[in-house]
Amino acid sequence: MSWGLCGAALTAALVTPSAAQAAPGEQGPGHRPAWTLTQTGTDARFRGLSAVSSRTAWAAGSRGTVLRTTDGGRHWSDVSPPGATEEALEFRDIEAFDTRRAVVLAIGEGEASRVFRTDDGGATWTESFRNTDSRAFFDCLTFFDSRHGLAMSDPVDGRFRILSTADGGRSWTVLPTAGMPQAQTGEAGFAAGGQCLVSSGPKDVWLATGGAATARVLHSADRGLHWTATTSTIPAGDPARGVFGLAFRDRTHGIAVGGDYRADQPSPDAAAVTGDAGRSWQRSTTPPAAYRSGVAWIPHARATALAVGPTGTDLTTDGGRTWRTVDTGSYDTVDCTHDGGCWAAGEKGRIARLH
């Protein structure tokens, strides 16, 4: 079976896998994981992932590492920005437009937060933004199209800070904060899987939070100028808990995942759904069994999505209301493409494709 699957065929492959497709060392009794690990040649942890197609994907991770494949994961090229490895930059998000153009975000306090862009497949990179405010800590970025995008920082002076680009990430400006609601005490984003800031369509964007009394999802319908905040059903009340990842299949239907990232803590109600652009959220009736940091809709199957975390992958076929575990491998982030390619990435150099 081709791994560039779509819609119902992809869902069927997850629900009724064949043992012949098991990833080495990850097969349990009567169950075959749906992911097939690729050979990356590194043990970096990849929390940033951008799938362009079933053949092309980019991954960004620890120690300044950026990888790219153009042959479905058979070979990965190290295309890390010069000096990034030596400085041990923490790349946590990457947005790629094709095989040659990509924008990557390094996170951290002060000047550790940076943005780089390449136009030649990673052969050369240009640093297009370096944070000079010690109070800012950038977490995620997203693009509406190949020109317009946003990046977000944890609150500065009581409000989340938003960067905007209109030239594909070659230059950035800080947006006014007048349209941004006041942050809660302790509220922040989680740079856990590159999905704390996501967009759908030409103008809609959502921002996920945690760490405060409640975990919220903020929505803007004008590319980040004005925002409304809604309390999610995912528990917070602790710096380790909240909404970690978002995915919208269109401007109204979305899924939020999260929980408590500490391995010794439970994560009840770790997923929620919305059908009104995030104005309200409903608990998943059967949520994932543990903390999840990444989520992606499977194209051409309106109600099917995947959620990933350190303890496994879960599948929903009813729009996020109920979930079932289909894999026990550790992944931090997941992304699917319009031609049916799905990818996941995580710790110890793990990058997998759905087979």
Side-chain angles (χ1 to χ4, degrees):
M1 179 181 290
S2 169
W3 59 272
L5 299 170
C6 292
L10 185 52
T11 302
L14 280 162
V15 176
T16 56
S18 104
Q21 294 172 317
E26 294 189 353
Q27 184 171 328
H31 174 71
R32 190 275 313 168
W35 297 109
T36 298
L37 287 169
T38 63
Q39 299 299 316
T40 62
T42 178
D43 63 354
R45 186 166 194 166
F46 293 105
R47 296 182 183 269
L49 176 66
S50 185
V52 175
S53 69
S54 59
R55 294 186 60 81
T56 298
W58 299 65
S62 59
R63 302 194 305 275
T65 307
V66 178
L67 301 185
R68 183 190 67 146
T69 183
T70 58
D71 60 7
R74 294 176 181 86
H75 303 90
W76 289 92
S77 300
D78 186 336
V79 295
S80 306
T85 300
E86 290 76 12
E87 291 191 69
L89 296 181
E90 281 289 330
F91 290 131
R92 296 292 182 91
D93 201 355
I94 187 166
E95 299 293 330
F97 309 114
D98 49 38
T99 61
R100 301 182 62 79
R101 298 177 298 160
V103 178
V104 64
L105 171 72
I107 63 105
E109 296 179 352
E111 294 192 3
S113 287
R114 305 178 198 178
V115 178
F116 298 83
R117 178 186 164 101
T118 182
D119 289 295
D120 54 14
T124 61
W125 293 84
T126 300
E127 182 181 304
S128 58
F129 172 77
R130 182 179 296 208
N131 174 48
T132 57
D133 189 335
S134 61
R135 302 168 298 170
F137 185 115
F138 284 83
D139 300 294
C140 292
L141 57 82
T142 189
F143 275 82
F144 304 95
D145 52 44
S146 61
R147 295 176 55 214
H148 300 92
L150 302 176
M152 58 81 69
S153 163
D154 289 339
V156 176
D157 294 330
R159 287 178 169 84
F160 286 94
R161 175 170 290 179
I162 304 296
L163 288 181
S164 176
T165 181
D167 57 11
R170 295 178 178 87
S171 63
W172 298 84
T173 58
V174 177
L175 291 182
T177 60
M180 175 65 72
Q182 189 76 21
Q184 303 173 91
T185 301
E187 191 172 27
F190 291 108
Q195 295 179 338
C196 60
L197 185 72
V198 303
S199 57
S200 180
K203 293 185 178 181
D204 286 277
V205 59
W206 294 264
L207 189 162
T209 82
T214 61
R216 302 193 297 174
V217 177
L218 282 64
H219 172 233
S220 170
D222 58 7
R223 291 184 183 161
L225 292 176
H226 302 88
W227 298 80
T228 56
T230 302
T231 299
S232 78
T233 62
I234 294 177
D238 185 277
R241 294 200 294 261
V243 179
F244 282 73
L246 297 167
F248 278 77
R249 75 165 191 244
D250 52 41
R251 70 175 308 272
T252 57
H253 297 89
I255 296 174
V257 298
D260 191 318
Y261 69 74
R262 296 170 294 191
D264 62 342
Q265 296 296 314
S267 290
D269 298 322
V273 299
T274 181
D276 58 11
R279 287 189 292 272
S280 63
W281 291 88
Q282 294 76 45
R283 291 181 176 85
S284 295
T285 54
T286 305
Y291 155 73
R292 296 292 180 254
S293 53
V295 59
W297 291 94
I298 293 178
H300 317 298
R302 290 180 58 81
T304 305
L306 295 166
V308 301
T311 62
T313 299
D314 298 291
L315 171 75
T316 178
T317 57
D318 57 12
R321 289 186 292 275
T322 63
W323 299 82
R324 60 164 293 196
T325 301
V326 294
D327 181 276
T328 56
S330 175
Y331 298 102
D332 294 312
T333 187
V334 60
D335 197 15
C336 296
T337 66
H338 287 294
D339 67 349
C342 283
W343 302 78
E347 63 180 346
K348 299 178 181 178
R350 293 167 58 90
I351 306 177
R353 57 185 176 91
L354 201 62
H355 204 283

